[in-house]
Amino acid sequence: MTNGKARIVTPEKIGRIIWAGTETIALNTAVYYDLFTHISNGKSSPRDLARITKCSANAIERLLNVLVAMELLTKTGKTYALEAEADAFLVRGRPVYLGDMVGHGVDLLNGWKNLPQSIESGKSSFQVDDQKTGEEFFSHLVKALFPANFAVSCAAAAAFKKKKKNIETVLDVAAGSAAWSLGFAQQYSESKVTALDFPKVLDVARQYTSQLGVDSQYDYLAGDLNTISFGKNCYDLVILGHICHSEGERRSRKLIKKSAQALKSGGTLLIAEVLPNEDYTAPLSALLFSLNMLVFTSEGDVFPVSQYKQWTEDVGLTEFEVLDKIPSPFPLLLATKP
């Protein structure tokens, strides 16, 4: 009740939620037919786009109108143009092209159909976090994740440089595309980076290190992060880039301990993660991601900043810091070895 008046309750919010998945599929269809790229290249009418995609002009126009309502396109008469976000992120060839990530969104929806079974059993029916299934799954996923993660890596490396931190040796754990370490390799051109991951995933890392001209700075360590040795007192920087959420509490604590042992005195552990607030009530993206880990992993989950602070302190790391002045939905977490 507001000002003595009863609030009118409507099902509008629930309706939006019910239809939310259709937006993902509509966007993925537009990406599949490269509509944003074609519009960027001057094909701006439904007829032009139908001709180049070999689709129905009427159907293409309906899809374009949806993209206008989603605020990804503008419309003037029968001519369509890109909104700023579409121009930056959905035109193939742009530095931060996110089209591959859109396709991953549809894959997630397919997996989430099994959420009721996971809620009942408390277990995943996919478990993409073991080598047998994970190597194939992650070799594709890390490409989709590269643009966003690389941008954060570059910002983090620039922040380190301002602090005049000397970084000569880096361990990138579960390196994927090497996105999390590439910013540091570029910023610290004399550094040597060890990228650790499954063999097939490291092939993807090699592609990106070569493209960015830093392949000579990289060594590659193939294996399972849970069983392979990280060494002791070897690295100035150890990166756990979006890996703890798929490992869960038990294995993440072991990873943090191994990472601490691998650091030199004065070295830094960098943790990039999806972070809920302390009472697990927001943000929605982090809480949905927790369910995502239930659907797709054996033990994965998300944890608040206080948990990571406690885990790093438990293994003797100090100077815990939250680095939030970066282009990322979640801050980075830093801890130092005395």
Side-chain angles (χ1 to χ4, degrees):
M1 185 174 290
T2 305
N3 297 327
K5 296 181 180 179
R7 181 170 69 91
I8 298 174
V9 179
T10 74
E12 182 180 357
K13 182 189 296 184
I14 295 171
R16 287 201 307 270
I17 295 170
I18 291 170
W19 282 87
T22 62
E23 292 188 39
T24 303
I25 294 171
L27 178 57
N28 184 59
T29 303
V31 168
Y32 177 81
Y33 288 107
D34 255 341
L35 297 187
F36 301 104
T37 306
H38 294 318
I39 292 172
S40 176
N41 291 334
K43 306 297 183 182
S44 56
S45 73
R47 182 174 295 179
D48 288 341
L49 291 166
R51 186 179 301 114
I52 199 169
T53 61
K54 296 181 172 58
C55 293
S56 158
N58 175 268
I60 284 287
E61 185 170 5
R62 294 188 196 194
L63 178 56
L64 293 171
N65 289 338
V66 167
L67 298 172
V68 171
M70 291 168 64
E71 300 182 353
L72 294 172
L73 299 179
T74 60
K75 179 181 180 181
T76 304
K78 289 284 188 178
T79 300
Y80 295 82
L82 302 178
E83 287 280 18
E85 292 83 358
D87 189 45
F89 302 114
L90 295 173
V91 175
R92 195 177 296 277
R94 294 283 195 266
V96 285
Y97 176 68
L98 295 180
D100 294 332
M101 194 63 192
V102 175
H104 177 60
V106 175
D107 292 338
L108 291 180
L109 288 177
N110 290 331
W112 271 58
K113 292 175 183 177
N114 294 294
L115 179 60
Q117 292 93 309
S118 293
I119 294 293
E120 289 175 15
S121 66
K123 297 179 180 179
S124 165
S125 56
F126 290 93
Q127 295 189 11
V128 298
D129 52 339
D130 61 21
Q131 183 165 356
K132 184 177 180 181
T133 55
E135 195 160 8
E136 184 67 31
F137 177 82
F138 286 111
S139 63
H140 294 290
L141 176 60
V142 296
K143 294 178 183 178
L145 295 173
F146 179 84
N149 292 346
F150 178 57
V152 180
S153 169
C154 291
F160 266 62
K161 197 77 169 181
K162 288 180 180 178
K163 294 181 179 183
K164 298 182 179 179
K165 283 182 177 283
N166 185 39
I167 297 177
E168 296 179 353
T169 51
V170 180
L171 174 63
D172 190 354
V173 180
S177 63
W180 289 105
S181 57
L182 276 165
F184 289 91
Q186 290 185 319
Q187 193 73 242
Y188 296 87
S189 58
E190 300 302 313
S191 66
K192 293 293 292 185
V193 182
T194 300
L196 187 165
D197 215 317
F198 296 138
K200 191 168 184 177
V201 182
L202 287 178
D203 289 341
V204 179
R206 288 185 175 92
Q207 294 172 22
Y208 284 103
T209 60
S210 178
Q211 287 175 19
L212 294 174
V214 295
D215 49 319
S216 63
Q217 293 176 243
Y218 274 76
D219 293 318
Y220 301 92
L221 182 60
D224 185 330
L225 78 169
N226 289 301
T227 58
I228 200 166
S229 172
F230 293 0
K232 297 189 185 300
N233 306 312
C234 302
Y235 301 100
D236 299 304
L237 176 67
V238 174
I239 301 173
L240 298 179
H242 280 197
I243 184 59
C244 291
H245 62 244
S246 66
E247 297 303 300
E249 178 174 356
R250 180 181 62 87
R251 293 191 297 202
S252 288
R253 296 185 73 164
K254 288 183 178 180
L255 275 178
I256 290 171
K257 183 177 181 179
K258 287 171 65 174
S259 298
Q261 292 171 340
L263 285 170
K264 299 176 183 176
S265 178
T268 300
L269 172 63
L270 184 156
I271 300 173
E273 263 311 327
V274 176
L275 302 167
N277 64 10
E278 293 300 323
D279 60 358
Y280 289 86
T281 57
L284 176 60
S285 59
L287 304 178
L288 287 172
F289 204 81
S290 175
L291 280 182
N292 196 56
M293 292 299 95
L294 175 63
V295 170
F296 287 101
T297 69
S298 58
E299 299 183 36
D301 202 352
V302 299
F303 309 98
V305 172
S306 62
Q307 286 281 74
Y308 287 102
K309 185 174 188 294
Q310 185 62 58
W311 295 343
T312 56
E313 289 175 351
D314 287 346
V315 296
L317 299 183
T318 60
E319 298 178 36
F320 187 86
E321 181 182 353
V322 178
L323 185 63
D324 55 6
K325 291 182 172 58
I326 50 172
S328 169
F330 301 101
L332 301 180
L333 308 178
L334 309 175
T336 302
K337 186 172 184 177

